[in-house]
Amino acid sequence: MTNVYLIPGLGGDKRMYAGQLSHFPLAKVLEFIRPVENESISSYAKRLAEGIDTTQPFILVGVSLGGMLAQEIANIYSPVKTIIISSVKSRSELPLWIRFFKFLPVQKIIPGKFYLWAFMLLVGLKTLFSKSNNVIGNLKNMARDADPVFVYWAVNQVINWKNPIKQFEAYHIHGNNDFLFPIRRLANVSTVVDHGTHAMILTHVKEINVALKQELEPA
């Protein structure tokens, strides 16, 4: 039996995977823990991985920041496979405006939760006329409950992230309408979700579950 571990995106928790947990009930969500002062993302990933039974075969699934952490964990242990959703595989896949903040770190003087509320506003505008009426509510609740210390730390980790594994091989699921990590910058996307935004884990559950079923369940 291969265990499956799900890592949420920045500011999210197990509610982000509600649509997957109902479809893959044996999967386990690795809930975020509070970082220690000046902790590196690799050190954090190692501590987060304490929730994984590494004596058994396992698969990692990560959304956005969770995809980056999945790759960091894969550098320490050896998952059967790593699946990333709405994420990136290298610093070169990050948009220029995010990489720019490494050299002009204004994000260090802005409260962490500001980014979550700004993101929710952008997603809200994009889903205003969609059928996903509960998306904004879900995002609002997760943003409200997110640990501001973690969010502040995580934003800085995304801005400065550099994958420790060159030419990392992952099964990559991405939306062609992702405004945060534009698909045009990405290489080797395995499954493209039509009209999928950065919040498609909540808005395109069926499409993502079809792709996951192919990778998680044996033929």
Side-chain angles (χ1 to χ4, degrees), residues 38-134:
N38 298 320
E39 185 169 26
S40 68
I41 192 170
S42 59
S43 172
Y44 182 90
K46 186 174 183 179
R47 291 199 300 122
L48 189 67
E50 291 175 4
I52 297 174
D53 181 0
T54 56
T55 66
Q56 300 294 323
F58 67 94
I59 295 174
L60 293 173
V61 180
V63 170
S64 192
L65 169 69
M68 298 177 183
L69 285 167
Q71 293 168 74
E72 291 283 343
I73 292 173
N75 189 46
I76 304 169
Y77 301 105
S78 298
V80 174
K81 65 178 64 176
T82 303
I83 302 171
I84 63 174
I85 304 169
S86 305
S87 191
V88 296
K89 301 180 294 297
S90 68
R91 181 166 182 79
S92 64
E93 293 188 345
L94 289 170
L96 294 176
W97 67 270
I98 289 182
R99 287 189 280 167
F100 174 76
F101 284 120
K102 179 177 181 179
F103 305 101
L104 186 65
V106 295
Q107 79 280 358
K108 291 188 176 181
I109 61 173
I110 299 175
K113 283 203 174 185
F114 168 84
Y115 301 98
L116 293 184
W117 295 116
F119 172 72
M120 191 185 74
L121 175 62
L122 289 172
V123 171
L125 293 174
K126 283 183 170 290
T127 60
L128 186 61
F129 301 105
S130 76
K131 297 179 181 179
S132 305
N133 297 322
N134 63 335

XYZ file of all heavy atoms in Angstrom, residues 38-134:
769
model
N 14.091 32.446 11.779
C 15.109 32.358 10.719
C 15.245 30.947 10.141
O 16.312 30.578 9.635
C 16.475 32.841 11.238
C 16.457 34.289 11.670
O 15.838 35.127 11.022
N 17.125 34.592 12.777
N 14.187 30.176 10.176
C 14.252 28.807 9.669
C 14.265 28.776 8.146
O 13.511 29.505 7.490
C 13.073 27.975 10.181
C 13.149 26.515 9.795
C 12.141 25.651 10.523
O 11.088 26.194 10.932
O 12.406 24.450 10.703
N 15.096 27.932 7.585
C 15.134 27.759 6.134
C 13.987 26.863 5.705
O 13.429 26.101 6.506
C 16.459 27.129 5.707
O 16.536 25.788 6.172
N 13.641 26.920 4.417
C 12.551 26.088 3.924
C 12.928 24.612 3.961
O 12.076 23.748 4.191
C 12.131 26.525 2.497
C 10.800 25.852 2.114
C 13.222 26.231 1.490
C 10.194 26.403 0.835
N 14.202 24.297 3.778
C 14.636 22.896 3.839
C 14.517 22.347 5.251
O 14.102 21.197 5.455
C 16.072 22.754 3.322
O 16.956 23.548 4.078
N 14.876 23.159 6.249
C 14.736 22.743 7.637
C 13.263 22.570 7.996
O 12.874 21.605 8.664
C 15.384 23.775 8.566
O 15.112 23.486 9.928
N 12.453 23.486 7.528
C 11.015 23.410 7.795
C 10.427 22.149 7.156
O 9.620 21.446 7.771
C 10.315 24.654 7.247
C 8.831 24.677 7.516
C 8.328 25.262 8.677
C 7.928 24.115 6.615
C 6.960 25.278 8.935
C 6.570 24.120 6.864
C 6.086 24.704 8.022
O 4.737 24.705 8.275
N 10.831 21.865 5.919
C 10.325 20.681 5.219
C 10.676 19.412 5.981
O 9.862 18.477 6.059
C 10.903 20.631 3.804
N 11.867 19.368 6.544
C 12.287 18.190 7.305
C 11.407 18.006 8.526
O 11.011 16.871 8.868
C 13.750 18.312 7.718
C 14.298 17.061 8.384
C 15.793 17.183 8.633
C 16.351 15.891 9.239
N 17.812 15.990 9.466
N 11.063 19.099 9.201
C 10.191 18.994 10.371
C 8.774 18.621 9.964
O 8.106 17.820 10.618
C 10.190 20.306 11.160
C 11.493 20.609 11.865
C 11.315 21.634 12.976
N 10.803 22.907 12.494
C 9.685 23.459 12.934
N 8.936 22.846 13.847
N 9.289 24.639 12.455
N 8.295 19.197 8.849
C 6.955 18.873 8.364
C 6.867 17.391 8.001
O 5.836 16.740 8.216
C 6.615 19.737 7.151
C 5.172 19.666 6.645
C 4.212 20.259 7.682
C 5.033 20.413 5.317
N 7.968 16.860 7.478
C 8.004 15.455 7.047
C 7.959 14.477 8.210
O 7.833 13.265 7.989
C 9.254 15.206 6.204
N 8.028 14.970 9.442
C 7.900 14.080 10.591
C 6.509 13.455 10.644
O 6.301 12.441 11.318
C 8.202 14.844 11.885
C 9.671 15.249 12.012
C 9.935 16.106 13.238
O 8.991 16.330 14.030
O 11.083 16.576 13.396
N 5.567 14.044 9.913
C 4.225 13.489 9.838
C 4.088 12.390 8.799
O 2.988 11.856 8.600
N 5.184 12.037 8.140
C 5.173 11.006 7.098
C 5.780 9.720 7.638
O 6.837 9.747 8.290
C 5.988 11.481 5.865
C 5.346 12.724 5.252
C 6.096 10.366 4.824
C 6.175 13.334 4.130
N 5.135 8.610 7.356
C 5.715 7.304 7.679
C 6.660 6.935 6.539
O 6.250 6.385 5.530
C 4.604 6.258 7.827
C 5.164 4.873 8.184
O 6.396 4.736 8.319
O 4.357 3.931 8.311
N 7.912 7.258 6.721
C 8.891 7.046 5.653
C 9.342 5.590 5.556
O 10.143 5.254 4.680
C 10.122 7.950 5.862
O 10.687 7.706 7.158
C 9.736 9.416 5.757
N 8.830 4.725 6.430
C 9.156 3.304 6.316
C 8.260 2.619 5.286
O 8.499 1.464 4.921
C 8.993 2.577 7.671
O 7.614 2.572 8.055
C 9.817 3.272 8.744
N 7.222 3.328 4.845
C 6.296 2.807 3.850
C 6.387 3.650 2.575
O 6.714 4.838 2.628
C 4.855 2.844 4.387
C 4.629 2.029 5.641
C 4.790 0.539 5.392
O 4.410 0.027 4.342
N 5.381 -0.166 6.362
N 6.110 3.056 1.403
C 6.097 3.848 0.168
C 5.057 4.963 0.285
O 3.983 4.764 0.854
C 5.695 2.834 -0.904
C 5.969 1.493 -0.308
C 5.765 1.633 1.167
N 5.396 6.138 -0.239
C 4.449 7.240 -0.145
C 4.534 8.145 -1.370
O 5.547 8.194 -2.076
C 4.670 8.048 1.142
C 5.978 8.807 1.196
C 6.053 10.131 0.802
C 7.133 8.186 1.655
C 7.258 10.833 0.862
C 8.341 8.866 1.724
C 8.397 10.204 1.320
N 3.435 8.860 -1.598
C 3.327 9.834 -2.681
C 3.043 11.193 -2.054
O 2.250 11.303 -1.113
C 2.196 9.467 -3.663
C 2.522 8.154 -4.381
C 1.959 10.583 -4.682
C 1.387 7.645 -5.255
N 3.696 12.223 -2.564
C 3.479 13.585 -2.089
C 2.647 14.359 -3.098
O 2.882 14.280 -4.310
C 4.811 14.299 -1.884
C 5.729 13.790 -0.771
C 7.080 14.505 -0.843
C 5.091 14.002 0.600
N 1.667 15.109 -2.597
C 0.870 16.011 -3.422
C 0.916 17.378 -2.766
O 0.652 17.503 -1.559
C -0.590 15.536 -3.539
C -1.395 16.506 -4.401
C -0.666 14.124 -4.106
N 1.273 18.420 -3.521
C 1.346 19.751 -2.936
C 0.768 20.806 -3.847
O 0.975 20.775 -5.060
N 0.036 21.749 -3.268
C -0.532 22.875 -4.003
C 0.294 24.128 -3.732
O 0.569 24.458 -2.574
C -1.998 23.122 -3.573
C -2.516 24.438 -4.148
C -2.893 21.979 -4.018
N 0.716 24.814 -4.794
C 1.427 26.092 -4.690
C 2.640 25.963 -3.766
O 3.562 25.198 -4.045
C 0.459 27.175 -4.210
O 1.021 28.456 -4.349
N 2.665 26.679 -2.635
C 3.769 26.535 -1.678
C 3.917 25.076 -1.258
O 5.030 24.587 -1.066
C 3.520 27.407 -0.448
C 4.447 27.162 0.747
C 5.861 27.626 0.432
C 3.915 27.827 2.007
N 2.791 24.374 -1.146
C 2.845 22.957 -0.792
C 3.607 22.141 -1.813
O 4.261 21.151 -1.469
N 3.549 22.557 -3.082
C 4.320 21.887 -4.122
C 5.811 22.106 -3.940
O 6.622 21.199 -4.170
N 6.181 23.305 -3.521
C 7.591 23.587 -3.250
C 8.079 22.764 -2.064
O 9.171 22.183 -2.094
C 7.772 25.082 -2.959
C 7.406 25.991 -4.113
S 7.584 27.740 -3.636
C 7.010 28.539 -5.132
N 7.254 22.697 -1.018
C 7.635 21.910 0.158
C 7.713 20.427 -0.181
O 8.580 19.713 0.345
C 6.622 22.149 1.281
C 6.764 23.496 1.990
C 5.539 23.786 2.853
C 8.031 23.528 2.844
N 6.833 19.963 -1.058
C 6.895 18.560 -1.482
C 8.226 18.257 -2.153
O 8.831 17.200 -1.935
C 5.741 18.254 -2.427
N 8.713 19.196 -2.949
C 9.993 19.003 -3.623
C 11.151 19.053 -2.628
O 12.139 18.337 -2.778
C 10.148 20.058 -4.721
C 9.141 19.867 -5.853
C 9.088 21.048 -6.796
O 9.988 21.258 -7.613
N 8.021 21.836 -6.701
N 11.028 19.907 -1.615
C 12.052 19.957 -0.570
C 12.089 18.642 0.208
O 13.164 18.121 0.530
C 11.770 21.129 0.379
C 11.959 22.508 -0.226
C 13.417 22.916 -0.335
O 14.258 22.291 0.337
O 13.707 23.865 -1.088
N 10.912 18.088 0.510
C 10.857 16.805 1.218
C 11.429 15.693 0.348
O 12.137 14.801 0.828
C 9.402 16.487 1.629
C 8.931 17.479 2.696
C 9.290 15.047 2.157
C 7.457 17.366 3.045
N 11.137 15.763 -0.957
C 11.657 14.748 -1.883
C 13.180 14.784 -1.960
O 13.813 13.789 -2.324
C 11.059 14.963 -3.273
N 13.769 15.913 -1.601
C 15.229 16.015 -1.581
C 15.822 15.328 -0.353
O 17.012 15.007 -0.329
C 15.644 17.498 -1.591
C 17.122 17.698 -1.788
O 17.731 17.087 -2.658
N 17.722 18.549 -0.970
N 14.968 15.083 0.664
C 15.422 14.450 1.899
C 15.094 12.959 1.897
O 15.915 12.119 2.257
C 14.766 15.130 3.116
C 15.064 16.629 3.117
C 15.260 14.489 4.419
C 14.252 17.411 4.129
N 13.881 12.651 1.477
C 13.414 11.270 1.421
C 13.169 10.889 -0.041
O 13.523 11.624 -0.932
C 12.154 11.113 2.271
C 12.372 11.478 3.717
C 11.891 12.677 4.235
C 13.091 10.644 4.563
C 12.111 13.037 5.564
C 13.313 10.989 5.894
C 12.825 12.191 6.385
O 13.060 12.527 7.694
N 12.570 9.753 -0.263
C 12.377 9.299 -1.647
C 10.934 8.846 -1.868
O 10.633 7.658 -1.743
C 13.345 8.147 -1.964
O 14.684 8.567 -1.860
N 10.048 9.795 -2.184
C 8.670 9.401 -2.462
C 8.585 8.586 -3.750
O 9.456 8.686 -4.615
C 7.945 10.744 -2.607
C 9.014 11.699 -3.025
C 10.264 11.239 -2.324
N 7.537 7.780 -3.850
C 7.302 7.029 -5.084
C 7.135 8.004 -6.244
O 7.653 7.802 -7.338
C 6.050 6.138 -4.938
C 5.707 5.465 -6.271
C 6.269 5.103 -3.853
N 6.409 9.083 -5.998
C 6.273 10.155 -6.976
C 5.842 11.422 -6.256
O 5.350 11.373 -5.117
C 5.271 9.802 -8.078
C 3.836 9.645 -7.628
C 2.907 9.349 -8.805
C 3.236 8.020 -9.454
N 2.278 7.668 -10.533
N 6.046 12.536 -6.912
C 5.660 13.832 -6.379
C 4.731 14.497 -7.375
O 5.060 14.608 -8.565
C 6.889 14.722 -6.133
O 7.795 14.043 -5.243
C 6.497 16.048 -5.525
N 3.588 14.937 -6.897
C 2.594 15.597 -7.743
C 2.419 17.020 -7.249
O 2.153 17.247 -6.061
C 1.242 14.855 -7.683
C 1.415 13.395 -8.116
C 0.196 15.555 -8.547
C 0.194 12.533 -7.878
N 2.599 17.989 -8.134
C 2.433 19.383 -7.740
C 1.284 19.998 -8.528
O 1.072 19.679 -9.697
C 3.732 20.196 -7.903
C 4.162 20.260 -9.371
C 4.847 19.607 -7.048
C 5.371 21.179 -9.603
N 0.540 20.862 -7.858
C -0.635 21.511 -8.429
C -0.487 23.016 -8.248
O -0.207 23.487 -7.136
C -1.923 21.021 -7.746
C -2.044 19.487 -7.828
C -3.160 21.697 -8.336
C -3.138 18.906 -6.948
N -0.649 23.779 -9.333
C -0.570 25.252 -9.256
C 0.727 25.681 -8.564
O 0.731 26.557 -7.696
C -1.777 25.819 -8.501
O -2.982 25.388 -9.075
N 1.828 25.063 -8.958
C 3.112 25.343 -8.321
C 4.191 25.519 -9.385
O 3.885 25.638 -10.579
C 3.461 24.202 -7.353
O 4.565 24.534 -6.537
N 5.442 25.566 -8.955
C 6.574 25.704 -9.872
C 7.646 24.694 -9.500
O 7.672 24.183 -8.378
C 7.163 27.133 -9.847
C 6.154 28.156 -10.343
C 7.647 27.507 -8.444
N 8.536 24.426 -10.446
C 9.587 23.427 -10.229
C 10.987 24.032 -10.129
O 11.953 23.311 -9.879
C 9.551 22.395 -11.363
C 8.222 21.654 -11.482
C 8.226 20.656 -12.616
C 8.327 21.308 -13.981
N 7.165 22.187 -14.293
N 11.106 25.331 -10.349
C 12.408 25.989 -10.266
C 12.187 27.485 -10.107
O 11.094 28.007 -10.368
C 13.239 25.719 -11.525
O 12.660 26.369 -12.641
N 13.235 28.170 -9.702
C 13.133 29.618 -9.542
C 12.846 30.301 -10.879
O 12.152 31.312 -10.937
C 14.436 30.154 -8.938
C 14.394 31.667 -8.710
C 15.504 32.160 -7.817
N 15.375 33.601 -7.615
C 14.530 34.157 -6.767
N 13.742 33.400 -6.047
N 14.450 35.460 -6.641
N 13.349 29.742 -11.965
C 13.141 30.348 -13.284
C 11.671 30.329 -13.693
O 11.261 31.089 -14.573
C 13.979 29.616 -14.341
O 13.554 28.277 -14.475
N 10.862 29.469 -13.056
C 9.437 29.419 -13.379
C 8.626 30.449 -12.603
O 7.455 30.681 -12.914
C 8.888 28.010 -13.131
C 9.455 26.973 -14.091
C 8.786 25.617 -13.977
O 8.088 25.372 -12.980
O 8.980 24.797 -14.896
N 9.229 31.064 -11.596
C 8.549 32.140 -10.885
C 8.457 33.368 -11.779
O 9.400 33.675 -12.514
C 9.309 32.511 -9.608
C 9.286 31.515 -8.453
C 10.285 31.951 -7.386
C 7.889 31.405 -7.863
N 7.346 34.105 -11.735
C 7.259 35.326 -12.542
C 8.284 36.359 -12.088
O 8.713 36.363 -10.923
C 5.817 35.813 -12.304
C 5.410 35.182 -11.021
C 6.121 33.856 -10.953
N 8.659 37.239 -12.980
C 9.701 38.215 -12.689
C 9.349 39.100 -11.508
O 10.226 39.473 -10.720
C 9.979 39.070 -13.934
C 10.594 38.326 -15.125
C 10.717 39.267 -16.319
C 11.960 37.755 -14.761
N 8.071 39.455 -11.377
C 7.702 40.384 -10.295
C 7.884 39.748 -8.916
O 8.190 40.439 -7.948
C 6.275 40.901 -10.475
C 5.181 39.885 -10.332
C 4.635 39.124 -11.310
C 4.483 39.542 -9.122
N 3.647 38.316 -10.801
C 3.519 38.560 -9.470
C 4.566 39.974 -7.794
C 2.651 37.993 -8.532
C 3.706 39.412 -6.853
C 2.762 38.442 -7.233
N 7.744 38.428 -8.813
C 8.006 37.753 -7.537
C 9.504 37.684 -7.278
O 9.978 37.960 -6.174
C 7.387 36.337 -7.532
C 5.861 36.428 -7.460
C 7.918 35.520 -6.345
C 5.152 35.095 -7.411
N 10.286 37.350 -8.295
C 11.739 37.288 -8.127
C 12.325 38.650 -7.803
O 13.341 38.751 -7.096
C 12.375 36.721 -9.399
C 12.152 35.226 -9.566
C 12.962 34.678 -10.707
N 12.338 34.943 -11.996
C 12.933 34.798 -13.164
N 14.206 34.428 -13.215
N 12.296 35.029 -14.281
N 11.680 39.714 -8.269
C 12.154 41.078 -8.037
C 12.205 41.406 -6.546
O 13.099 42.113 -6.084
C 11.240 42.065 -8.774
C 11.534 43.509 -8.490
C 12.625 44.140 -9.073
C 10.713 44.245 -7.646
C 12.890 45.479 -8.819
C 10.977 45.578 -7.384
C 12.071 46.200 -7.974
N 11.240 40.862 -5.784
C 11.172 41.176 -4.360
C 12.372 40.651 -3.584
O 12.614 41.071 -2.447
C 9.878 40.633 -3.754
C 8.667 41.465 -4.091
C 7.610 40.906 -4.781
C 8.600 42.798 -3.733
C 6.497 41.663 -5.108
C 7.498 43.569 -4.053
C 6.435 42.999 -4.741
N 13.133 39.729 -4.173
C 14.342 39.252 -3.494
C 15.361 40.385 -3.366
O 16.122 40.437 -2.394
C 14.954 38.089 -4.275
C 16.230 37.536 -3.643
C 16.772 36.339 -4.395
C 18.032 35.800 -3.737
N 18.579 34.610 -4.439
N 15.364 41.292 -4.333
C 16.345 42.373 -4.355
C 15.796 43.677 -3.772
O 16.548 44.575 -3.432
C 16.811 42.600 -5.796
C 17.336 41.349 -6.438
C 16.552 40.622 -7.325
C 18.596 40.870 -6.128
C 17.025 39.457 -7.899
C 19.082 39.698 -6.692
C 18.293 38.986 -7.581
N 14.463 43.765 -3.662
C 13.832 44.916 -3.027
C 12.783 44.355 -2.059
O 11.589 44.327 -2.357
C 13.172 45.828 -4.070
C 12.600 47.148 -3.551
C 13.725 48.031 -3.018
C 11.821 47.858 -4.651
N 13.244 43.875 -0.903
C 12.385 43.078 -0.016
C 11.345 43.885 0.757
O 11.305 43.872 1.994
C 13.399 42.426 0.920
C 14.529 43.389 0.986
C 14.615 44.010 -0.387
N 10.465 44.577 0.033
C 9.424 45.353 0.707
C 8.441 44.439 1.434
O 7.741 44.873 2.351
C 8.661 46.238 -0.304
C 9.579 47.277 -0.893
C 8.020 45.399 -1.397
N 8.394 43.146 1.025
C 7.468 42.226 1.679
C 7.789 42.029 3.154
O 6.927 41.620 3.937
C 7.471 40.865 0.955
C 8.635 39.955 1.283
C 9.914 40.322 0.531
O 9.909 41.253 -0.265
N 10.983 39.597 0.777
N 9.032 42.367 3.549
C 9.427 42.161 4.941
C 8.822 43.201 5.880
O 8.868 43.038 7.103
C 10.952 42.163 5.059
C 11.597 40.940 4.401
C 13.072 40.864 4.684
C 13.668 39.590 4.107
N 15.110 39.456 4.383
N 8.273 44.280 5.320
C 7.675 45.311 6.169
C 6.155 45.327 6.040
O 5.489 46.185 6.610
C 8.240 46.706 5.829
C 7.931 47.088 4.373
C 9.732 46.770 6.101
C 8.324 48.512 4.028
N 5.610 44.368 5.293
C 4.157 44.287 5.098
C 3.626 43.112 5.908
O 4.204 42.023 5.866
C 3.813 44.095 3.608
C 4.331 45.304 2.798
C 2.317 43.942 3.406
C 4.153 45.150 1.308
N 2.536 43.309 6.665
C 1.972 42.195 7.441
C 1.656 40.991 6.568
O 1.140 41.142 5.452
C 0.695 42.808 8.034
C 0.949 44.279 8.039
C 1.798 44.558 6.835
N 1.957 39.808 7.078
C 1.804 38.589 6.293
C 0.411 38.388 5.732
O 0.234 38.010 4.579
N -0.618 38.641 6.548
C -1.980 38.360 6.096
C -2.444 39.304 4.996
O -3.447 39.032 4.333
C -2.941 38.391 7.275
C -2.866 37.135 8.146
C -4.139 36.915 8.920
C -4.109 35.592 9.656
N -5.386 35.294 10.330
N -1.740 40.399 4.787
C -2.087 41.298 3.685
C -2.095 40.535 2.363
O -2.956 40.748 1.511
C -1.082 42.447 3.614
C -1.178 43.256 2.339
C -2.098 44.272 2.215
C -0.333 42.975 1.260
C -2.189 45.001 1.034
C -0.416 43.694 0.084
C -1.344 44.711 -0.025
N -1.134 39.633 2.197
C -1.019 38.887 0.954
C -2.209 37.949 0.759
O -2.700 37.760 -0.351
C 0.290 38.091 0.932
C 1.509 38.969 1.057
C 2.139 39.139 2.291
C 2.018 39.662 -0.037
C 3.244 39.973 2.424
C 3.126 40.484 0.084
C 3.736 40.640 1.315
O 4.812 41.460 1.451
N -2.684 37.366 1.861
C -3.825 36.463 1.751
C -5.089 37.220 1.367
O -5.859 36.775 0.518
C -4.044 35.724 3.076
C -2.956 34.738 3.492
C -3.376 34.023 4.771
C -2.692 33.726 2.392
N -5.302 38.369 1.978
C -6.510 39.132 1.651
C -6.430 39.682 0.233
O -7.445 39.728 -0.488
C -6.708 40.257 2.661
C -6.978 39.760 4.049
C -6.206 39.937 5.157
C -8.098 38.964 4.471
N -6.768 39.304 6.238
C -7.929 38.704 5.860
C -9.223 38.440 3.831
C -8.845 37.961 6.598
C -10.136 37.690 4.572
C -9.943 37.468 5.929
N -5.250 40.095 -0.201
C -5.086 40.576 -1.578
C -5.341 39.441 -2.567
O -6.005 39.628 -3.602
C -3.681 41.151 -1.766
N -4.827 38.264 -2.244
C -5.037 37.108 -3.108
C -6.518 36.763 -3.179
O -7.061 36.480 -4.250
C -4.247 35.913 -2.580
C -4.536 34.622 -3.290
C -4.078 34.410 -4.575
C -5.294 33.631 -2.678
C -4.347 33.224 -5.242
C -5.563 32.442 -3.331
C -5.091 32.243 -4.620
N -7.195 36.799 -2.035
C -8.609 36.471 -2.007
C -9.407 37.466 -2.859
O -10.349 37.096 -3.566
C -9.134 36.485 -0.580
C -10.529 35.896 -0.448
S -11.173 36.055 1.218
C -11.546 37.799 1.266
N -9.021 38.741 -2.820
C -9.697 39.751 -3.629
C -9.530 39.458 -5.111
O -10.495 39.519 -5.892
C -9.144 41.139 -3.304
C -9.685 42.292 -4.160
C -11.195 42.432 -3.964
C -8.987 43.608 -3.807
N -8.308 39.117 -5.520
C -8.052 38.807 -6.930
C -8.835 37.570 -7.367
O -9.442 37.543 -8.439
C -6.556 38.590 -7.154
C -5.684 39.837 -7.071
C -4.216 39.449 -7.126
C -6.009 40.796 -8.204
N -8.830 36.547 -6.530
C -9.585 35.338 -6.855
C -11.071 35.650 -6.916
O -11.803 35.172 -7.777
C -9.309 34.227 -5.829
C -10.259 33.051 -6.037
C -7.869 33.761 -5.950
N -11.520 36.519 -5.990
C -12.925 36.886 -5.969
C -13.365 37.550 -7.255
O -14.434 37.248 -7.798
N -12.532 38.421 -7.781
C -12.867 39.088 -9.028
C -12.937 38.095 -10.177
O -13.765 38.222 -11.083
C -11.818 40.172 -9.326
C -11.807 41.367 -8.364
C -10.642 42.289 -8.692
C -13.117 42.129 -8.417
N -12.073 37.089 -10.138
C -12.027 36.116 -11.228
C -13.145 35.077 -11.132
O -13.491 34.443 -12.112
C -10.661 35.409 -11.260
C -9.562 36.275 -11.861
C -8.270 35.507 -11.940
C -7.253 36.275 -12.766
N -7.593 36.314 -14.186
N -13.693 34.882 -9.939
C -14.725 33.863 -9.775
C -16.107 34.476 -9.534
O -17.059 33.772 -9.235
C -14.388 32.925 -8.602
O -14.291 33.695 -7.399
C -13.096 32.180 -8.846
N -16.198 35.797 -9.684
C -17.441 36.507 -9.381
C -18.623 35.941 -10.156
O -19.732 35.827 -9.646
C -17.270 37.997 -9.682
C -18.433 38.906 -9.291
C -18.671 38.846 -7.787
C -18.151 40.335 -9.730
N -18.371 35.596 -11.416
C -19.456 35.117 -12.261
C -19.373 33.608 -12.513
O -20.005 33.092 -13.420
C -19.436 35.863 -13.595
C -19.585 37.351 -13.434
C -18.490 38.188 -13.593
C -20.802 37.903 -13.092
C -18.615 39.566 -13.433
C -20.937 39.286 -12.929
C -19.843 40.109 -13.098
N -18.574 32.921 -11.726
C -18.455 31.477 -11.895
C -19.514 30.762 -11.079
O -20.263 31.371 -10.318
C -17.062 30.996 -11.469
O -16.975 30.975 -10.064
N -19.553 29.455 -11.228
C -20.501 28.649 -10.469
C -19.951 28.265 -9.100
O -20.638 27.616 -8.325
C -20.837 27.387 -11.266
C -21.520 27.670 -12.599
C -21.810 26.379 -13.341
C -22.469 26.667 -14.694
N -22.734 25.418 -15.459
N -18.721 28.668 -8.821
C -18.066 28.283 -7.562
C -18.376 29.319 -6.488
O -17.511 30.065 -6.051
C -16.560 28.150 -7.773
O -16.277 27.264 -8.823
N -19.618 29.366 -6.053
C -20.056 30.407 -5.128
C -19.436 30.287 -3.744
O -19.411 31.252 -2.987
C -21.581 30.368 -5.004
C -22.266 30.666 -6.322
O -21.804 31.505 -7.082
N -23.363 29.975 -6.602
N -18.975 29.086 -3.388
C -18.433 28.894 -2.045
C -16.929 29.111 -1.977
O -16.341 29.025 -0.903
C -18.758 27.494 -1.535
C -18.117 26.409 -2.379
O -17.828 26.643 -3.556
N -17.889 25.242 -1.807
